[in-house]
Amino acid sequence: MSFRTSPGTPASPPSPADHVEDVSPGGGVLPPRAWYAVSDARSLSLNGRWDFRLSPTADAEDDSFAAEGYEPGGWAEVQVPGHWVLQGHGSPSYTNHLYPFPVDPPRVPAENPTGDHLRRFELPPDWPADGGTVLRFDGVESCARVWLNGTDLGTFQGSRLPHEFAVGHLLRPGGNVLAVRVHQWSAGSYLEDQDQWWLPGIFRDVTLLHRPPGSALDFFVHASYDHREGLGTLRVDSDVDGRVLVPGLDIDVATGTPVTLPVLPWTAETPLLYDGELVTEGERVPLRIGFRTVELHDGLIKVNGTAVLFKGVNRHEWHPRKGRALDPETMLADVLLMKRHNINAVRTSHYPPHPAFLDLCDTYGLWVVDECDLETHGFTEQAWRDNPADDPHWTPALLDRAARTVERDKNHPSVVLWSLGNEAGTGRGLTAMAEWIRARDTSRLIHYEGDHDCRDTDVYSRMYTDHAEVERIGRHQDGGGLKRRRLPFILCEYGHAMGNGPGGLADYQRLFTSYDRLQGGFVWEWIDHGIEDERHGFAYGGDFGEELHDGNFVCDGLLLPDRTPSPGLVEYKKVIEPVRIDGGDSFSPPGERREAANWDGTVRVTNGYDFADLSHLAFEWSYQVDGENVGSGPLAVPALAPGGTADVKLPAPPVDPGDAGARWTVRAVLADDTAWAPRGHVVAWAQLPVAEPVPPSVTASAPPVTGERVITLGPGTFDARTGVLLAVGGVEVTGPRLDVWRAPTDNDNGAHWQSDARHGPLWRALGLHRMRHRPDAVEAGDDSLTVRTRVAPAARDVGLRTVYRWTSDGTRLRLTVSVTPEGRWTLPLPRLGVRLGLAASADRVTWLGGGPGEGYPDTGSACAYGRWESTVDALQTPYVRPQENGARPGVHRAEIGGLRIEGDPAFWFTARRWTTEQLDAAEHRADLRPGDTVWVNLDHGQQGIGSQSCGPGVLPRYQLWPAPAEFSFVFSEITD
């Protein structure tokens, strides 16, 4: 006996909410059409405060609330656009790919939170009475049934897609009531398993649009560009006859008539738009026309005849208080931040964005991979059995989603690829979508990562592929069929930006720029989806009592939830900067310091733009000695064409660098104000070393003096029994002693589905978080104090034989640490250095080294060498889940709490008001409480960061394997 019903067949007995489990896209809605923000036709926003009632199930209440005359006594209110779970009604929940309900398509749980919404409105007195009005919903999650003035208009699914109803015949001058019932779960939920918070509600705009007789229905702007001739061809197809006016081009032609003439093209670097109008009998619709041609040619994605390199991000829509209900200011903030950080492309993961966002991409210049509202990732748990993407019963819903995406967004020049969706397996439904899109729009290419055989797609796309395989793909040495090997390759997701990281971005970028086939990628992702929360600061999965959740995997962005750029975004900006500046013929990889030997002061500048020359940039030099600027000036660089290079001679150094170390810094900045950044905004920069600082030298001349309880050596006071330093002059010190532990980053911990290469759990299993320090000898010599110890984890036979040798010249104290591994180590170390404690009054920090932000072995490209200042608190990076953070790399000298510390060689410097162990134990920012000690780490080595929270781990060159090591620090009290 089977209890399964056929897809779309209602269960018995019939329910008032049968549409909830219907696999069809809905009923009563108008066909999809192009979206445009304004015309001369009237519109009325229905956004605002709506009456609201929440029910626990889809049929807990009848539909009497939609009847005329109903009074919602005792109802609450919610803001529309908005999500009711973020307004005090129920709770949000987060899963990455697991469905938070039993997988039994198209059935959904009986526990189905359902929100009834009521909106009373009056028409403006001059609202036309010709009966032509459309009611538009731009986004409702996940299924809605709509009534107007008691009349049932219909139902729809497809949360991130527009739906319209013809309502003119139902409107009244006054006393209109719009009723909307929204169900959290529906058959459509099976198509929207998109690694984000499940947030029901009417979260995009609701609008009445007057449609005068003879108004535009749907129209398609075709604006191609012939790069050989410099000619554009414009044709506007319209369902209603009219004329197309483009005053700037002297165009006045009938719809459907092509016109070819000289134009300037649209690109993401040069986003030129021509203002025009579509004029029909009843309406004038503004047009913003960008001429560009997208094609697959010579195995590459080309725009206007030029192969493009995507320096992109994946962007979920998010606001820490409003969820996916974004306002125009937030969308603009995103675009401006992207442009200011050299990002040139967006993949709209995993659904079409608010349509206004694409207007901004057109205006400011971003390539867009526009993704359909489709993901069925949870079916991986059953090996894709019953996957809707391969079930013909679901194909109409898939085609409806494809059509509503393409028709809405087809007139945006920024959209260069359509994406069928994400992680939906493969199947007949996806093939049908691709075929429909190709038949409707031949001007763009088709993307879908899950189609590894490239049956339906025009580009070979993968996610989180490691560097070695990416290089093989770049060399056309990957497997797969002949068609795939002839296609361009993009990483639609890479560089998982979860917590501290991602690492290895510079290494990926070197590959992208080395092989033509590799056309870049899209970092996952733009912003942490933390929810503003009084308890935790920002909440993540599990903080709302979810039965199933994926923790802080929802916080994996280049922006913190409040839109503060993370160090990962600053790093990405540096890695993808569009101008390369290097010394002479030596082209050092991004993030690596070049050797100064035999350099003649010639700078090589390379234009890495695809389309723009360098005329919009000004170049300037500055010269630093001991981290301080001692001279600066302009640098004459020609307006190089894309790909061009020029060798430019720097002036004579303004001063002799002496022994303090010196560097040139060359910057490319905006020469004038732009729409997205002011004049002087730094686009690219490089530092070129002239001379490194001389390591500190201490002549051992002060003998140790042994007392009953302490030993003194120069300014140092030590515990006579353990040899532990107690003070440097008048500065009390706790430690230092060897430290190898760091609070594991999200990338250290890795994703749960990954292999034993996840270092965080293995480090903990080995016991590196609870190392024991055994003093073996305290030896006072003629001019030194030597402390011999063994540092090892309990229950293990591996250890680190550690010798601390102290010397002094009477005013300064030098510590040389020698470390020898013992036993068979099978793991790299998290860090290798010493940790010490200072008084809580230690607040101000100055250092000579990398800054101003944090940097680790594979994330330090954006750290510039200089003299920096900060407070201890400002050194911290407030990741949503606390973890290792805040290390400043390449430090030669640091001053904190009256103590000066010099390194030989340079070191990583970290200071915080809690121990590493407290940082490790914290789950949220609010768990961290300042103590009575400032803990300082001086690290000789750090393990790299990698991207293994969802991607490859740390590359071998950045791994910190146990090996004999020796490093020194010089301590002195600051008395001036």
Side-chain angles (χ1 to χ4, degrees):
M1 178 178 292
S2 172
F3 294 94
R4 176 185 287 283
T5 60
S6 299
T9 302
S12 180
S15 162
D18 288 344
H19 63 279
V20 172
E21 295 178 345
D22 188 350
V23 299
S24 74
V29 294
L30 295 171
R33 64 187 181 98
W35 183 89
Y36 50 94
V38 295
S39 77
D40 65 345
R42 298 292 303 276
S43 65
L44 177 66
S45 172
L46 298 182
N47 296 345
R49 302 298 293 177
W50 290 46
D51 293 312
F52 177 78
R53 175 182 66 188
L54 181 63
S55 303
T57 65
D59 56 0
E61 300 284 350
D62 61 28
D63 58 10
S64 61
F65 81 102
E68 294 192 79
Y70 183 87
E71 290 296 329
W75 284 34
E77 284 189 344
V78 294
Q79 182 70 29
V80 172
H83 305 279
W84 69 67
V85 295
L86 297 182
Q87 300 183 59
H89 306 281
S91 298
S93 65
Y94 165 65
T95 60
N96 168 28
H97 78 280
L98 295 175
Y99 289 107
F101 48 77
V103 180
D104 182 26
R107 305 298 298 276
V108 296
E111 300 83 7
N112 189 355
T114 296
D116 291 332
H117 300 69
L118 286 174
R119 175 74 156 89
R120 291 172 169 79
F121 65 94
E122 309 288 324
L123 290 179
D126 56 347
W127 189 268
D130 55 27
T133 298
V134 165
L135 171 65
R136 183 180 183 93
F137 294 88
D138 279 305
V140 180
E141 183 174 333
S142 73
C143 172
R145 187 178 180 189
V146 183
W147 297 262
L148 180 62
N149 293 332
T151 298
D152 189 347
L153 300 180
T155 65
F156 62 86
Q157 299 177 16
S159 298
R160 266 68 67 176
L161 297 164
H163 296 86
E164 293 182 332
F165 298 93
V167 298
H169 59 294
L170 299 174
L171 289 172
R172 304 163 181 162
N176 294 283
V177 179
L178 177 60
V180 185
R181 173 164 285 174
V182 180
H183 309 282
Q184 174 158 16
W185 309 122
S186 68
S189 301
Y190 285 99
L191 306 180
E192 297 172 2
D193 188 22
Q194 295 153 319
D195 185 13
Q196 60 182 334
W197 293 96
W198 299 91
L199 299 176
I202 305 172
F203 70 96
R204 286 184 184 162
D205 305 288
V206 183
T207 313
L208 277 179
L209 301 169
H210 178 234
R211 312 306 300 135
S215 61
L217 298 178
D218 189 23
F219 60 92
F220 197 160
V221 177
H222 303 274
S224 62
Y225 180 72
D226 182 342
H227 66 280
R228 299 173 187 83
E229 302 295 332
L231 299 176
T233 299
L234 175 66
R235 187 185 82 245
V236 179
D237 295 333
S238 174
D239 289 356
V240 176
D241 290 341
R243 299 198 68 79
V244 178
L245 310 178
V246 187
L249 296 175
D250 292 328
I251 292 176
D252 182 349
V253 298
T255 54
T257 302
V259 57
T260 300
L261 72 173
V263 298
L264 295 175
W266 187 98
T267 75
E269 297 169 5
T270 57
L272 179 70
L273 295 169
Y274 291 93
D275 291 327
E277 275 190 314
L278 169 61
V279 181
T280 67
E281 178 186 353
E283 188 176 19
R284 303 179 74 96
V285 180
L287 303 177
R288 303 171 76 240
I289 303 165
F291 290 89
R292 59 106 184 93
T293 294
V294 183
E295 61 182 341
L296 183 63
H297 186 258
D298 294 332
L300 298 173
I301 303 168
K302 293 187 176 182
V303 179
N304 303 335
T306 297
V308 297
L309 183 61
F310 295 113
K311 303 171 183 179
V313 291
N314 287 274
R315 175 185 177 270
H316 269 297
E317 296 184 304
W318 187 251
H319 188 282
R321 295 187 304 277
K322 302 174 184 177
R324 287 188 286 278
L326 295 193
D327 54 79
E329 294 76 17
T330 299
M331 289 184 274
L332 177 59
D334 280 348
V335 170
L336 295 181
L337 278 169
M338 290 176 188
K339 294 292 290 186
R340 291 168 185 168
H341 288 84
N342 294 328
I343 289 164
N344 71 359
V346 179
R347 176 181 175 227
T348 68
S349 53
H350 298 295
Y351 43 82
H354 190 290
F357 179 76
L358 297 180
D359 277 347
L360 295 170
C361 295
D362 294 341
T363 300
Y364 292 92
L366 289 167
W367 307 117
V368 175
V369 178
D370 196 354
E371 195 147 273
C372 186
D373 192 10
L374 173 63
E375 181 169 338
T376 64
H377 199 174
F379 284 89
T380 57
E381 296 298 309
Q382 54 200 64
W384 295 109
R385 187 179 69 255
D386 296 328
N387 181 18
D390 195 36
D391 184 340
H393 293 90
W394 293 81
T395 299
L398 271 60
L399 287 171
D400 180 76
R401 289 169 184 253
R404 291 188 181 279
T405 300
V406 170
E407 300 294 5
R408 192 196 76 167
D409 297 341
K410 59 183 179 282
N411 294 326
H412 289 283
S414 57
V415 176
V416 292
L417 280 86
W418 301 117
S419 181
L420 302 181
N422 184 67
E423 293 175 317
T426 58
R428 291 163 285 182
L430 291 162
T431 299
M433 293 169 69
E435 291 174 348
W436 184 91
I437 293 173
R438 282 197 175 91
R440 179 58 173 147
D441 180 20
T442 60
S443 68
R444 295 175 175 93
L445 305 179
I446 294 179
H447 166 273
Y448 176 64
E449 184 273 338
D451 183 14
H452 289 180
D453 292 332
C454 300
R455 178 183 63 182
D456 300 321
T457 58
D458 300 308
V459 56
Y460 179 30
S461 176
R462 293 275 299 280
M463 53 177 66
Y464 308 111
T465 311
D466 65 36
H467 299 77
E469 186 175 356
V470 169
E471 184 162 20
R472 289 194 296 272
I473 293 169
R475 293 174 172 172
H476 297 269
Q477 295 174 345
D478 54 307
L482 180 61
K483 177 186 177 183
R484 189 179 86 181
R485 291 198 301 275
R486 289 176 173 171
L487 293 179
F489 177 80
I490 63 172
L491 277 169
C492 69
E493 294 178 21
Y494 82 111
H496 196 252
M498 186 176 179
N500 187 336
L505 291 178
D507 304 271
Y508 274 117
Q509 198 65 26
R510 279 196 291 272
L511 295 172
F512 297 159
T513 56
S514 297
Y515 300 98
D516 291 343
R517 187 190 184 192
L518 307 179
Q519 294 198 248
F522 299 79
V523 168
W524 185 269
E525 65 161 308
W526 177 236
I527 186 169
D528 287 345
H529 299 198
I531 293 177
E532 195 171 280
D533 185 90
E534 291 183 357
R535 303 164 298 164
H536 304 306
F538 291 106
Y540 50 75
D543 288 336
F544 300 98
E546 301 101 305
E547 181 181 38
L548 291 175
H549 66 85
D550 285 285
N552 69 311
F553 202 70
V554 76
C555 294
D556 46 11
L558 293 169
L559 296 180
L560 302 179
D562 61 1
R563 281 182 163 72
T564 298
S566 77
L569 181 57
V570 178
E571 170 82 354
Y572 194 37
K573 175 187 177 180
K574 182 71 179 80
V575 165
I576 61 176
E577 59 190 12
V579 179
R580 174 114 182 220
I581 304 166
D582 214 326
D585 294 326
S586 174
F587 290 89
S588 58
E592 291 189 1
R593 301 194 187 281
R594 62 178 302 280
E595 294 297 327
N598 301 318
W599 180 48
D600 66 356
T602 297
V603 171
R604 175 162 292 179
V605 178
T606 303
N607 180 355
Y609 286 104
D610 293 327
F611 299 92
D613 64 26
L614 299 187
S615 60
H616 65 293
L617 298 178
F619 288 78
E620 57 191 31
W621 63 266
S622 60
Y623 193 77
Q624 296 85 35
V625 175
D626 198 31
E628 298 283 358
N629 277 343
V630 296
S632 62
L635 186 66
V637 176
L640 297 170
T645 64
D647 291 338
V648 181
K649 190 78 170 181
L650 290 167
V655 298
D656 186 338
D659 295 332
R663 278 170 170 75
W664 293 96
T665 299
V666 179
R667 295 180 177 87
V669 304
L670 290 178
D672 297 294
D673 292 345
T674 70
W676 49 269
R679 178 177 179 270
H681 168 80
V682 177
V683 172
W685 61 272
Q687 281 192 323
L688 308 167
V690 177
E692 294 294 340
V694 175
S697 176
V698 173
T699 300
S701 58
V705 178
T706 302
E708 181 178 350
R709 294 188 176 181
V710 299
I711 298 173
T712 58
L713 176 63
T717 303
F718 300 82
D719 185 290
R721 183 179 63 85
T722 63
V724 172
L725 180 68
L726 302 176
V728 178
V731 180
E732 294 186 359
V733 177
T734 303
R737 67 177 186 175
L738 192 76
D739 192 13
V740 299
W741 180 243
R742 75 183 186 194
T745 67
D746 291 315
N747 286 301
D748 290 336
N749 286 330
H752 65 82
W753 61 82
Q754 290 172 319
S755 70
D756 287 345
R758 295 181 293 142
H759 287 123
L762 294 178
W763 287 338
R764 203 177 300 277
L766 183 59
L768 298 188
H769 61 306
R770 47 177 176 78
M771 299 289 277
R772 307 291 178 85
H773 297 252
R774 186 189 71 206
D776 290 341
V778 178
E779 302 167 352
D782 292 339
D783 60 359
S784 65
L785 175 65
T786 302
V787 180
R788 304 182 186 277
T789 68
R790 188 174 190 271
V791 182
R796 304 292 179 181
D797 64 352
V798 297
L800 299 169
R801 186 69 64 178
T802 307
V803 177
Y804 308 94
R805 186 173 185 270
W806 297 90
T807 57
S808 176
D809 60 4
T811 59
R812 297 186 298 165
L813 194 62
R814 182 183 185 97
L815 166 64
T816 299
V817 182
S818 301
V819 180
T820 304
E822 295 182 335
R824 182 173 177 270
W825 287 84
T826 59
L827 292 173
L829 296 173
R831 66 173 0 123
L832 180 67
V834 297
R835 176 167 60 168
L836 56 89
L838 298 173
S841 57
D843 181 52
R844 301 296 306 181
V845 182
T846 64
W847 73 97
L848 178 65
E854 72 183 31
Y856 291 81
D858 55 351
T859 68
S861 300
C863 289
Y865 188 86
R867 185 185 296 272
W868 306 102
E869 296 186 11
S870 175
T871 64
V872 170
D873 291 341
L875 288 175
Q876 316 309 308
T877 302
Y879 295 115
V880 174
R881 187 193 72 81
Q883 57 197 271
E884 166 64 31
N885 73 90
R888 268 53 180 184
V891 175
H892 287 92
R893 182 172 68 248
E895 297 179 354
I896 178 173
L899 187 67
R900 178 178 293 117
I901 307 162
E902 300 168 89
D904 181 14
F907 57 96
W908 275 273
F909 175 87
T910 310
R912 53 176 64 103
R913 297 188 182 278
W914 35 78
T915 65
T916 299
E917 291 73 22
Q918 290 168 330
L919 183 64
D920 185 15
E923 294 293 332
H924 297 87
R925 298 181 190 177
D927 298 336
L928 293 170
R929 297 283 191 271
D932 56 4
T933 303
V934 171
W935 295 99
V936 176
N937 276 91
L938 313 173
D939 291 318
H940 174 64
Q942 274 270 0
Q943 168 82 350
I945 297 297
S947 186
Q948 203 172 15
S949 53
C950 186
V954 178
L955 286 169
R957 64 190 294 203
Y958 305 120
Q959 294 177 357
L960 182 64
W961 284 92
E966 184 172 283
F967 47 95
S968 298
F969 302 101
V970 174
F971 302 95
S972 56
E973 184 179 10
I974 300 171
T975 57
D976 51 346

